[in-house]
Amino acid sequence: MGCLWDTNYFSAVKDPGQLAPLFDVLPDVFFFAKDKEGRFTAMNAPLIAVIGVSSDEVLGATDYDFFDHDLADAYRQEDLALMESGKSVVNEPWWVPNVKTGHIHWYCASKVSLKNDQGQVIGIAGIMRPIEDTTELSTDHRQMTEVAAYIESHYDERLTVEQLAEVAELSPRHFQRIFNRVFKTGPIEHLMRVRISISAAQLIGSKDSLSTIAINCGFYDQAHFSNQFKRHRGTTPSDYRAHFSAR
């Protein structure tokens, strides 16, 4: 049985925001809503904390303001497909990084499209819950999670597809196919994601020089770091550090 909902009653509720405090106290439930252009129109306090941003940055922002561009692309593509098809997404595994710490965690995400009085789609709403038990994941997801954990522990090394395939005990070709399906990107691209996330956290949480952070995070040099960071985050490491330091 699904949730019971008296449409007539709730249509008389003047401000749906009256329900917002309830979303803040739901244990391990992270709620969000976006308009048709992908701008956040709602986010509960637990999710704001998980992402690692401040509350005044959320409304009107998009995934591109918080996450690497390729990851934001994947989120956006799923939202667009949902709005076009009208079909709900139920318990889809997604990994979400914390902006400030770089820590990555798996979540089960469910989404629905939102419509106005004329039946036109105007956005989406969704919830996430953390996956604490990897048995909830498919075999492919569990296998690739082990590889992702290896990457997070060795991101400062010169990792290759062949090395990562050995961790997964798969052929390089089969490994890349599964990894792409699970993470919506290739293994080397994911390695760069991790490096960018970790370096972003170090920019905020340390006073290390850009060259030190670059070497610590596995980049060839500061120039390589700056180029990759701007490609993924849309800003330079220096400007990113200054933005968060100014808060």
Side-chain angles (χ1 to χ4, degrees), residues 208-217 219 221-222 225:
D208 291 343
S209 67
L210 299 188
S211 58
T212 296
I213 293 175
I215 299 303
N216 288 346
C217 292
F219 296 95
D221 52 33
Q222 183 176 331
F225 169 43

Side-chain angles (χ1 to χ4, degrees), residues 96-118:
V96 179
N98 181 290
V99 172
K100 289 187 177 179
T101 66
H103 177 69
I104 296 170
H105 197 88
W106 277 105
Y107 296 86
C108 266
S110 297
K111 303 177 185 179
V112 297
S113 58
L114 300 176
K115 298 180 181 180
N116 61 16
D117 293 341
Q118 289 74 45

Side-chain angles (χ1 to χ4, degrees), residues 150-234:
Y150 183 87
I151 290 175
E152 288 188 51
S153 299
H154 299 81
Y155 61 85
D156 57 340
E157 300 176 13
R158 298 283 178 257
L159 300 178
T160 66
V161 169
E162 289 72 23
Q163 287 175 288
L164 297 175
E166 286 184 14
V167 174
E169 299 182 345
L170 296 170
S171 69
R173 185 175 181 180
H174 190 201
F175 162 66
Q176 288 193 85
R177 186 166 60 251
I178 295 176
F179 196 98
N180 269 276
R181 184 166 66 246
V182 170
F183 283 97
K184 313 296 190 297
T185 191
I188 300 305
E189 289 78 8
H190 181 74
L191 169 61
M192 185 58 67
R193 268 185 189 170
V194 172
R195 286 174 174 167
I196 294 296
S197 293
I198 298 297
S199 64
Q202 291 186 14
L203 287 170
I204 298 171
S206 79
K207 296 183 179 180
D208 291 343
S209 67
L210 299 188
S211 58
T212 296
I213 293 175
I215 299 303
N216 288 346
C217 292
F219 296 95
Y220 294 115
D221 52 33
Q222 183 176 331
H224 181 225
F225 169 43
S226 295
N227 289 336
Q228 290 296 322
F229 195 94
K230 187 170 184 178
R231 183 171 76 85
H232 284 79
R233 292 294 172 97

